[in-house]
Amino acid sequence: MGYECLLAGLPDLKAGADSPITMEGLLELLDESMKPSDKKLLTQLRMTVDDPQIDALVARYDDEDVPESDKPEWWASARTILSDADVRAMLMYEIGLHSNNAFVRAWYAFNQDMNNIMVAAICRKHGFDVKKMIVGNNEVAETLRTHTTQKDFGLSEVMDNFQEILALATIDNLMEREKRMDALRFEWLQDKTYFDIFSTEQVLAYYLQAAMLHRWSLLTVEQGEQVFREMVADMKKGIKID
């Protein structure tokens, strides 16, 4: 049995509109209604780079007494060329991409690919080293690293929505760019769960969509500019500029 009663009672969500439900109310409802195993999936989706689990991994992998064989193959290299924020993001994606749930894995993969494409386009535009800013080791990440001089980064034949994502990097208005990215995420979630009626995946998608709408209802122009400044600062930390 799925989540017929839960989903039937939730208000409809519309991209670009205000959230019709508070996050506190939604999380309380999900906590009351979801199975323990599904709550773990929700926790995975709510993970941030400041998650205690990631703190523990960073401390472990930075420990010189821990054998290199017990660390990710990419750790030493990433620690020398990426900022701390990017290293943490890499760990977050690694955890998400190894979830036992296909929807969670797909969500993390989609976000990693989209963020990498955006970063690659912005780095190339401003003369930064693309290779030093790409996160992860999947096909899209490796293609971005090895085809930095190609106009399409070699991805036109790899991703169906590549051009749509790449076009977002040309939007100068930062708030508009972020909103367009969330619009793509919103649409991806709808498409991904279109046939999963009353399923765990549909509940998880609803939470993610509600969280996006809630974030934009709170984000002022000043906050958006601050977020961007922090992103640029993190980017510069990971790049040696002559």
Side-chain angles (χ1 to χ4, degrees):
M1 184 176 179
Y3 289 104
E4 291 88 347
C5 293
L6 171 63
L7 288 166
L10 289 171
D12 292 336
L13 302 178
K14 183 179 179 180
D18 291 335
S19 177
I21 185 172
T22 66
M23 294 309 296
E24 293 80 5
L26 177 59
L27 286 170
E28 183 178 346
L29 188 60
L30 296 181
D31 185 59
E32 295 173 351
S33 307
M34 296 183 76
K35 305 171 187 175
S37 59
D38 292 342
K39 290 181 185 179
K40 292 181 179 179
L41 298 178
L42 179 61
T43 299
Q44 289 178 354
L45 290 176
R46 299 184 67 202
M47 188 185 307
T48 67
V49 295
D50 297 322
D51 191 280
Q53 184 178 358
I54 294 179
D55 289 338
L57 288 175
V58 170
R60 174 175 172 77
Y61 296 153
D62 277 344
D63 190 340
E64 295 181 355
D65 293 330
V66 175
E68 293 300 317
S69 59
D70 291 340
K71 304 177 183 180
E73 293 181 3
W74 51 265
W75 185 257
S77 175
R79 258 322 199 187
T80 61
I81 63 176
L82 295 180
S83 68
D84 184 66
D86 284 337
V87 169
R88 287 173 169 272
M90 213 161 170
L91 287 172
M92 183 181 71
Y93 285 123
E94 284 280 307
I95 294 171
L97 290 170
H98 285 86
S99 170
N100 61 4
N101 179 270
F103 171 82
V104 174
R105 294 195 302 271
W107 171 249
Y108 273 98
F110 174 73
N111 278 279
Q112 178 177 271
D113 291 345
M114 179 162 65
N115 289 331
N116 274 337
I117 292 168
M118 294 291 293
V119 166
I122 292 171
C123 281
R124 187 163 66 180
K125 178 179 179 181
H126 295 285
F128 295 156
D129 189 345
V130 174
K131 296 179 182 178
K132 293 184 177 182
M133 299 306 300
I134 300 304
V135 171
N137 299 289
N138 65 0
E139 181 181 8
V140 171
E142 292 301 331
T143 303
L144 286 169
R145 291 190 184 101
T146 56
H147 296 81
T148 57
T149 60
Q150 287 186 223
K151 185 177 181 180
D152 68 347
F153 292 101
L155 286 173
S156 290
E157 302 300 322
V158 176
M159 296 180 65
D160 293 335
N161 57 352
F162 168 73
Q163 294 296 340
E164 188 175 8
I165 295 173
L166 187 63
L168 297 180
T170 65
I171 299 175
D172 293 327
N173 185 297
L174 305 178
M175 296 286 283
E176 180 64 23
R177 183 193 300 167
E178 284 294 315
K179 286 184 177 180
R180 294 283 187 90
M181 290 176 69
D182 269 358
L184 279 182
R185 294 185 178 102
F186 203 98
E187 182 180 4
W188 184 92
L189 290 166
Q190 289 180 319
D191 292 342
K192 198 69 177 178
T193 58
Y194 186 80
F195 295 106
D196 296 327
I197 307 299
F198 302 131
S199 65
T200 298
E201 288 72 20
Q202 198 171 50
V203 174
L204 297 175
Y206 187 96
Y207 166 79
L208 291 169
Q209 291 176 322
M212 279 187 272
L213 298 182
H214 180 70
R215 179 168 74 96
W216 283 109
S217 69
L218 297 178
L219 195 62
T220 63
V221 173
E222 291 77 13
Q223 288 172 320
E225 292 176 348
Q226 177 62 28
V227 168
F228 177 74
R229 286 195 293 270
E230 292 172 357
M231 288 170 57
V232 171
D234 284 337
M235 183 179 293
K236 288 182 177 179
K237 289 177 185 177
I239 301 173
K240 294 181 180 179
I241 302 177
D242 296 330

